[in-house]
């Protein structure tokens, strides 16, 4: 992947817009801070109401869409200068988010509770801001994919975007992420005791007590070297390597030794040619367990030297789905301007092994940066950015096994016997998790080997039913009474996380949902990972939970159930080879295409169809071509 270049970007954070949003600072200066007491969170009654807000026009109701559109528009304007004809090229869009249209969803849930209806169903979904922001460009985007990998979402998006370019699926990819700060999300992190009482947060230091939330967006324009050379574009930096792995240990706490993160870093560095790393942008949530786990991973892989570590979250807050992209861009800024950035926060170091933090930025000559991301579900991702290009990777054949179908949740005792998970723990999970676990258990029963595989989950409406219950508790009892056990399951990535833990799925793991075609979207994402060598095998789970909230949003479009299958580099036991992939947005959709997991049901039939198609009205669809074997 190392010949993929960053040629333009758009960014917005609490520090400003463009270069100001992702600055590595000025030599001799301490880190700039954007975190303050937040009126919305304080009015909701939270004990730790601190956040890093972006300045938006007064009265902006849909902050998530506004943030995405601002970053996307800035990236497009920058591209107009770098490559005036880019709008006539083949353009892909791969974005990550943690909460999507959560602000609109909270209003929709409240309306339903009063006996009303959902006025704008699209706006209140995870894919609503993504779909609306994409329409601003007024053109076809293919591939167009949204990653719901929680706090690692945009790091996954950048890696996937580069993989699409390696496949020659497009000439340019716009990749990144976005999220705003809502009471829904802030209350969840507070009851999990993950937020600080006295910002700025103090990553890797004594007395650290968590992070503050932030909002922002970043969109990177990625192009392969062949296009860069042809169009004579200036390169900001190169995406030199990507790696991903799951802890498969705990839903919200990291592996204490950082072993999966170290595997992700090792994969990214090997792809980049094992360069010397000058700067590390860590996940750095300043929580008791995250920081030592990262320190172990950094020291374990980068044994021969101690790079500068720059915890940007302490300056702009934890921007969730935007964090990976914004923080990676600080590495790009450091490389471009020759700056080693300062770390916010004070106090003695309190991690073993220790990391190298700077109190003030210094002039230097960093050439290689490493971005680390971790997330709910035990997901880890790493991206290497470099001043120098390298070689690209060749794609390899990808195959799929026959699909298995679970139309409804099994009894808890039966599911416990299939998975080895205690019934009371299964009861604490949500319907999406239970359906997905049942589907993978049925897949495993067919004799396929799953241990060590990755997992990609696609869900059309994701955790809508769980979110409605979590929001109801906040409305009834206040934000401080939010349910800590339910909050992790409001993350769509919880499904991938619980499946990885139950079945030892330690490869790349995350969820996707760019619309009602999320099942086929998941198959496409898994095929790209296997084809690029990021995993030998990936379990695909398409799952939909349909209750009163989902019906209020989608009517009879969706059915309850789950489909599971295995995507693999081996032809042994396969029913088909994966051919062309198409994930188009901004075009008229084919009529009558199935939604959600139902689009994968034909893989359970004989003969296997020549293609799988799914649609997301009004302007997105997915197609995967198959060659039966």
């Amino acid at each position: 992947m190392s010949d993929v270049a960053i040629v333009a970007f758009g960014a917005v954070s609490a520090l400003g817009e463009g270069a100001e949003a992702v600055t590595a600072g000025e030599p001799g200066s301490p880190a700039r801070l954007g975190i303050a007491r937040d009126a919305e969170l304080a009015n909701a009654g939270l004990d730790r109401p601190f956040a890093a807000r972006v300045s938006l026009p007064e009265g902006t109701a849909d902050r998530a869409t506004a943030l995405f559109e601002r970053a996307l528009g800035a990236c497009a304007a920058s591209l107009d200068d770098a490559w005036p004809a880019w709008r006539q090229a083949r353009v892909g869009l791969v974005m990550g988010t943690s909460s999507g249209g959560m602000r609109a969803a909270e209003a929709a849930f409240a309306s339903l509770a009063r006996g009303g209806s959902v006025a704008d169903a699209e706006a209140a979904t995870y894919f609503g801001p993504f779909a609306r922001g994409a329409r601003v460009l007024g053109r076809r985007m293919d591939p167009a994919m949204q990653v719901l990998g929680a706090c690692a979402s945009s790091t996954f998006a950048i890696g996937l975007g580069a993989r699409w370019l390696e496949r020659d699926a497009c000439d340019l990819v716009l990749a990144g992420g976005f999220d705003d700060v809502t009471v829904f999300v802030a209350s969840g992190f507070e009851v999990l005791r993950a937020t600080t009482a006295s910002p700025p947060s103090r990553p890797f230091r004594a007395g650290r007590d968590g992070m503050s939330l932030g909002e922002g967006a970043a969109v990177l324009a990625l192009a392969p070297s062949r296009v860069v050379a042809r169009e004579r574009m200036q390169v900001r930096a190169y995406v030199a390597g990507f790696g991903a792995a799951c802890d498969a240990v705990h839903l919200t706490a990291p592996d204490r030794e950082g072993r999966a993160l170290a595997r992700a870093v090792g994969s990214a560095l090997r792809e980049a040619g094992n360069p010397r790393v000058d700067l590390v942008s860590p996940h750095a949530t300043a929580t008791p367990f995250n920081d030592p786990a990262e320190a172990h991973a950094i020291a374990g892989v980068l044994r021969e030297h101690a790079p500068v570590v720059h915890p940007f979250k302490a300056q702009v807050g934890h921007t969730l789905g935007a964090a990976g992209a914004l923080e990676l861009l600080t590495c790009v800024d450091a490389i471009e301007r020759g700056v080693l950035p300062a770390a916010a926060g004070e106090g003695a170091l309190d991690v073993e092994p220790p990391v190298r933090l700077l109190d003030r930025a210094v002039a230097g000559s960093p050439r290689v940066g490493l971005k680390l991301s971790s997330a709910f579900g035990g997901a880890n991702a790493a991206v290497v950015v470099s001043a120098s290009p390298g070689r690209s990777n060749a794609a390899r054949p990808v195959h799929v096994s026959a699909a298995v179908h679970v139309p409804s949740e099994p009894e808890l005792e039966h599911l416990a016997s299939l998975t080895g998970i205690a019934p009371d723990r299964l009861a604490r999970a949500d319907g999406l998790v239970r359906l997905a676990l049942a589907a993978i258990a049925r897949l495993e029963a067919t004799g396929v080997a799953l241990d060590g595989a990755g997992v990609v989950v696609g869900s059309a409406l994701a955790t809508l039913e769980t979110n409605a219950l979590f929001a109801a508790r906040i409305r009834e009892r206040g934000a401080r009474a939010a349910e800590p056990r339910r909050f992790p399951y409001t993350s769509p990535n919880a499904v991938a996380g619980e499946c990885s833990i139950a079945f030892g799925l330690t490869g790349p793991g995350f969820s996707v949902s760019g619309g009602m075609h999320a099942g086929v979207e998941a198959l496409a994402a898994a095929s790209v990972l296997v084809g690029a060598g990021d995993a030998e095998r990936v379990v695909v789970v398409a799952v939909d939970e349909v209750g009163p909230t989902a019906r209020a949003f989608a009517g009879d479009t969706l059915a309850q159930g789950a489909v599971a299958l295995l995507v693999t580099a081996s032809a042994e036991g396969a029913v088909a080879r994966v051919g062309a992939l198409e994930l188009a947005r901004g075009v008229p959709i084919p009529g009558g295409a199935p939604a959600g997991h139902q689009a994968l049901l034909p893989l359970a039939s004989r003969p296997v169809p020549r293609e799988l198609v799914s649609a997301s009205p009004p302007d997105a669809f997915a197609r995967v071509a198959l060659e039966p074997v």
Side-chain angles (χ1 to χ4, degrees):
M1 159 194 313
S2 50
D3 75 333
V4 172
I6 302 169
V7 296
F9 73 89
V12 56
S13 76
L15 298 183
E17 295 191 40
E20 188 178 7
V22 292
T23 180
E26 299 297 330
S29 299
R32 288 179 56 202
L33 303 178
I35 300 167
R37 182 177 177 85
D38 186 77
E40 182 182 24
L41 303 187
N43 291 339
L46 291 177
D47 289 328
R48 299 182 172 191
F50 304 104
R53 292 279 187 183
V54 171
S55 178
L56 293 175
E58 187 175 351
T60 300
D62 187 351
R63 296 183 68 87
T65 301
L67 291 166
F68 176 34
E69 288 181 349
R70 182 172 291 189
L72 183 62
C75 185
S78 181
L79 269 172
D80 288 337
D81 294 331
W83 182 11
W86 73 271
R87 296 174 189 273
Q88 284 71 57
R90 298 175 301 158
V91 181
L93 179 68
V94 186
M95 296 298 296
T97 186
S98 179
S99 51
M102 189 60 71
R103 186 174 294 274
E106 289 181 82
F109 298 150
S111 175
L112 291 173
R114 296 190 299 267
S117 60
V118 180
D120 188 344
E122 183 184 69
T125 62
Y126 278 95
F127 57 82
F130 174 63
R132 294 181 173 202
R135 291 180 191 127
V136 171
L137 294 177
R139 53 154 297 146
R140 176 188 175 100
M141 313 291 285
D142 182 13
M145 177 182 291
Q146 180 170 261
V147 180
L148 300 179
C151 305
S153 293
S154 58
T155 308
F156 280 117
I158 291 166
L160 285 167
R163 296 304 189 216
W164 285 109
L165 292 170
E166 289 178 352
R167 294 177 65 98
D168 193 29
C170 47
D171 303 310
L172 179 77
V173 166
L174 307 178
F178 63 90
D179 263 316
D180 73 329
V181 174
T182 63
V183 171
F184 182 106
V185 175
S187 65
F189 278 106
E190 181 166 303
V191 296
L192 288 183
R193 301 179 182 178
T195 53
T196 181
S198 55
S201 61
R202 299 173 293 281
F204 305 106
R205 299 182 189 270
R208 66 187 183 278
D209 62 345
M211 48 80 181
S212 298
L213 289 175
E215 60 185 14
V219 179
L220 288 67
L222 307 178
S225 288
R226 58 177 175 79
V227 174
V228 171
R230 186 187 72 206
E231 303 298 332
R232 300 180 181 178
M233 285 186 281
Q234 181 179 355
V235 174
R236 314 297 297 260
Y238 291 90
V239 177
F242 169 68
C246 275
D247 288 345
V249 170
H250 192 277
L251 188 59
T252 58
D255 170 36
R256 301 292 181 88
E257 300 299 318
R259 285 166 289 204
L261 180 57
R263 291 199 308 274
V265 171
S267 295
L269 289 174
R270 283 191 298 273
E271 185 177 8
N274 292 311
R276 177 187 174 90
V277 174
D278 304 302
L279 176 64
V280 174
S281 175
H283 193 58
T285 55
T287 49
F289 297 146
N290 176 91
D291 293 8
E294 282 200 283
H296 278 292
I298 293 167
V301 180
L302 307 178
R303 296 183 183 90
E304 297 180 0
H305 61 282
V308 169
V309 173
H310 178 225
F312 196 45
K313 285 183 181 66
Q315 298 176 243
V316 299
H318 189 346
T319 55
L320 304 175
L326 284 170
E327 293 163 16
L328 182 146
L329 283 170
T330 65
C331 292
V332 174
D333 184 57
I335 291 170
E336 284 192 301
R337 296 195 298 114
V339 177
L340 292 170
E346 297 179 347
L349 291 178
D350 185 35
V351 291
E352 182 60 41
V355 299
R356 182 184 173 197
L357 304 178
L358 300 180
D359 292 330
R360 292 180 179 272
V362 300
S365 55
R367 300 280 295 172
V368 177
L370 173 64
K371 174 69 205 120
L372 311 181
S373 293
S374 299
F376 276 9
N380 301 280
V383 170
V384 176
V385 289
S386 174
S388 303
R391 63 187 185 281
S392 61
N393 297 319
R396 59 181 178 175
V398 178
H399 303 83
V400 296
S401 69
V404 298
H405 177 220
V406 173
S408 59
E409 285 189 45
E411 295 293 330
L412 286 181
E413 294 292 341
H414 180 54
L415 186 56
S417 69
L418 293 175
T419 61
I421 302 173
D424 61 336
R425 184 174 160 219
L426 289 171
R428 290 197 298 270
D430 65 356
L432 282 178
V433 168
R434 291 189 289 268
L435 284 164
L437 290 172
I440 297 180
R442 184 166 295 180
L443 179 65
E444 187 176 50
T446 67
V448 299
L450 302 183
D451 189 54
V455 56
V456 179
V457 175
S459 183
L461 292 179
T463 55
L464 208 62
E465 297 291 347
T466 300
N467 295 355
L469 295 174
F470 186 81
R473 170 84 169 225
I474 293 174
R475 287 196 311 274
E476 293 163 5
R477 304 190 186 183
R480 282 185 293 182
E483 297 171 279
R485 286 188 172 182
R486 177 164 280 156
F487 178 63
Y489 295 104
T490 67
S491 169
N493 211 50
V495 186
E498 290 285 33
C499 291
S500 72
I501 295 166
F503 297 96
L505 308 178
T506 55
F510 54 89
S511 296
V512 297
S513 182
M516 305 299 281
H517 58 283
V520 177
E521 187 179 12
L523 174 56
S527 299
V528 169
L529 292 173
V530 172
D534 293 306
E536 291 299 311
R537 296 165 296 151
V538 174
V539 176
V540 173
V541 185
V543 57
D544 298 296
E545 182 181 17
V546 179
T549 306
R551 282 190 287 271
F553 274 68
D556 297 327
T557 303
L558 287 176
Q560 175 125 330
V563 168
L565 56 93
L566 188 68
V567 174
T568 174
S570 172
E572 183 177 354
V575 298
R577 177 174 168 173
V578 176
L581 306 175
E582 187 176 12
L583 297 172
R585 185 171 290 278
V587 295
I589 63 170
H597 75 280
Q598 292 172 296
L600 298 187
L601 283 175
L603 277 173
S605 63
R606 292 292 187 276
V608 172
R610 292 285 178 177
E611 66 176 17
L612 300 172
V613 178
S614 187
S616 186
D619 56 0
F621 73 95
R623 177 184 290 118
V624 173
L626 299 172
E627 303 169 9
V629 297

